[in-house]
Amino acid sequence: EAPTAISLSTTSVAETSSAGSTVAVITVTDPDSGESYSADDLTLAGDDAAEFTIADSGGDIVLQHDNALDYETTTSYAITIAAEDPNDSNLALGAQAFTISVTDVEITITSSQAGSVAEDAANNAAVMTVTTTGDSDDNDFAITAGNGDAIFAINAASGAITVSDNSNLDFDTTASYTLTISVSDGDASDSEDVTITVTNVDEAPTAISLSTNTVDEDSSAGSTVATITVTDPDSGESYSADDLTLA
């Protein structure tokens, strides 16, 4: 006997589903027990048939979408599926119409993201890129808090964070920053904190000073003339006589 029905396990697919992914499992109902259908027994047609493929996968017949999906561009697709009896092509079920709906996935910033930057990084140096899930169209990123010195900038379209003004970028002053990042796609928005750690870079000493530059003429040989102080931008640096050269 001819097949009597064709059904899909679902008729919706998220816009974030990658090209080539399975949309649904196709089931063909046949009054004859033991009939085994494959993709070769089905015919895909309809206005949007070119966007899909019927394939065999792990014992199932599946409907796959061939291209990237975008809810903002196309919210649904119209297709038909027909079936022929695997043992007799004259026994067939005509085209059955299906509408495949694309579901909108709101943009979300991935939580607990972190990056790092050296304290001597140049302006425009890359720091990190804020990652998101969901809709990726027309994103608008912004730093809304934690950037009081305007050290960092974010690309509004890509979410890439760079050094904007390195004049106040100093490990010994501030070892990390917590930036609040917001993103909107014009429909939905999200906000998350990201942490940027400033890594220390060993810097050269900047000055040498003496506690005094006079000595009494009757000071005995071997006596101390002055205490030498070395100024270094790196906190905690400890100098000794071996680090100094007298000439």
Side-chain angles (χ1 to χ4, degrees):
E1 297 176 81
T4 57
I6 298 171
S7 61
L8 302 181
S9 58
T10 181
T11 55
S12 65
V13 58
E15 65 175 333
T16 51
S17 177
S18 56
S21 297
T22 293
V23 175
V25 174
I26 304 171
T27 300
V28 180
T29 302
D30 193 301
D32 299 318
S33 61
E35 288 278 25
S36 179
Y37 284 80
S38 71
D40 290 338
D41 301 314
L42 305 183
T43 301
L44 179 64
D47 293 343
D48 300 311
E51 300 293 326
F52 298 89
T53 297
I54 293 176
D56 294 310
S57 176
D60 292 322
I61 311 172
V62 298
L63 178 69
Q64 301 169 335
H65 67 91
D66 297 335
N67 302 302
L69 302 172
D70 179 25
Y71 175 84
E72 282 69 28
T73 301
T74 305
T75 59
S76 65
Y77 294 90
I79 61 171
T80 64
I81 301 174
E84 293 181 351
D85 189 289
N87 297 313
D88 187 348
S89 60
N90 293 314
L91 300 175
L93 175 65
Q96 306 295 296
F98 298 93
T99 299
I100 306 300
S101 299
V102 179
T103 58
D104 191 21
V105 181
E106 294 185 351
I107 190 168
T108 302
I109 299 176
T110 306
S111 62
S112 304
Q113 294 184 66
S116 65
V117 61
E119 64 176 339
D120 64 349
N123 286 341
N124 300 315
V127 178
M128 64 177 293
T129 297
V130 178
T131 60
T132 62
T133 58
D135 200 343
S136 60
D137 294 324
D138 300 321
N139 289 342
D140 186 11
F141 289 90
I143 301 173
T144 58
N147 196 30
D149 290 333
I151 292 173
F152 303 101
I154 191 167
N155 184 290
S158 69
I161 297 176
T162 56
V163 176
S164 176
D165 181 359
N166 63 5
S167 57
N168 290 319
L169 188 60
D170 179 42
F171 170 84
D172 298 291
T173 303
T174 306
S176 70
Y177 292 85
T178 299
L179 305 181
T180 301
I181 307 298
S182 68
V183 65
S184 172
D185 62 3
D187 177 39
S189 62
D190 192 29
S191 178
E192 283 283 348
D193 289 343
V194 301
T195 301
I196 298 175
T197 300
V198 180
T199 58
N200 192 25
V201 176
D202 195 12
E203 299 172 86
T206 57
I208 299 173
S209 61
L210 302 180
S211 59
T212 181
N213 57 6
T214 63
V215 58
D216 293 335
E217 64 177 336
D218 60 352
S219 177
S220 58
S223 295
T224 295
V225 174
T227 298
I228 303 171
T229 300
V230 179
T231 302
D232 193 301
D234 298 317
S235 61
E237 289 278 21
S238 179
Y239 283 82
S240 69
D242 292 338
D243 302 313
L244 306 181
T245 300
L246 181 63

